[in-house]
Amino acid sequence: MAFLANLFRKQKTPEEMMREYKRNIDRTIRELERERTKLQAQEKKLVAEMRKMAKSNQTESLRIMAKDLVRTRNHGTQFYKMKAQMQAVSLRLQTLNSTAAMAKAMQGVTKSMYGCTKILLINNQQAYDECADEHTCYAEGDDGI
């Protein structure tokens, strides 16, 4: 059924697709930041609870919490890595978009240069024809009087 819905849908332009991809990447980066913030809050709670356990000499539960703290910190590092990778992808998309815009601009410049060259060639040809006509007049001895 999804195939039929996509069959009659308007095709997106590359600019629209790039904008949508960038929006999705930015949304993912924000979600990663939220998750990392939650992990940091959880880490603070865990450290506070570990201090309470240390004061009451509960070494076994303290050891388990320490392992959990290490895991939590490692996850935080992984979130930093994922965020950096997503930002790298976003930067690459932005570079691609800029390159496409530059290519489009250069295409317009090329068309206008082609048109100018065409006009100049026509003008040069007319000037050459006029000069050739004058030259034949002088060669025949006609002063044009």
Side-chain angles (χ1 to χ4, degrees), residues 1-128:
M1 195 65 181
F3 173 74
L4 290 175
N6 288 335
L7 186 64
F8 298 110
R9 188 175 295 161
K10 183 183 143 190
Q11 188 69 23
K12 292 181 181 177
T13 65
E15 291 84 13
E16 290 172 342
M17 290 171 58
M18 292 286 251
R19 198 175 308 123
E20 184 178 338
Y21 292 149
K22 176 113 174 76
R23 192 177 311 124
N24 287 336
I25 289 172
D26 290 342
R27 183 180 306 129
T28 304
I29 289 172
R30 284 191 303 273
E31 288 173 4
L32 286 172
E33 275 296 312
R34 274 189 229 116
E35 288 296 321
R36 190 185 53 78
T37 306
K38 287 178 185 176
L39 275 177
Q40 285 178 340
Q42 182 181 352
E43 181 182 338
K44 286 180 183 178
K45 288 178 186 176
L46 193 59
V47 168
E49 194 173 336
M50 285 175 66
R51 286 188 179 143
K52 288 179 186 176
M53 293 286 181
K55 286 180 182 176
S56 63
N57 285 334
Q58 295 179 353
T59 57
E60 285 300 315
S61 56
L62 189 63
R63 186 176 292 133
I64 293 169
M65 287 181 169
K67 288 179 183 179
D68 191 31
L69 179 66
V70 169
R71 254 186 255 115
T72 303
R73 287 183 178 167
N74 286 340
H75 284 298
T77 305
Q78 288 176 352
F79 276 116
Y80 276 123
K81 287 179 184 177
M82 285 188 283
K83 179 185 172 189
Q85 288 174 347
M86 294 304 288
Q87 286 174 335
V89 169
S90 176
L91 182 63
R92 220 174 246 169
L93 272 176
Q94 189 175 358
T95 304
L96 243 150
N97 201 9
S98 299
T99 305
M102 184 61 74
K104 193 173 182 179
M106 290 302 290
Q107 185 179 14
V109 168
T110 305
K111 283 182 182 178
S112 64
M113 286 177 67
Y114 178 74
C116 290
T117 305
K118 201 172 185 181
I119 291 170
L120 286 175
L121 286 175
I122 291 171
N123 289 343
N124 284 346
Q125 185 64 38
Q126 289 172 352
Y128 178 75

Side-chain angles (χ1 to χ4, degrees), residues 123-141:
N123 289 343
N124 284 346
Q125 185 64 38
Q126 289 172 352
Y128 178 75
D129 290 344
E130 289 175 11
C131 185
D133 289 343
E134 288 178 14
H135 181 64
T136 54
C137 290
Y138 289 130
E140 294 175 357

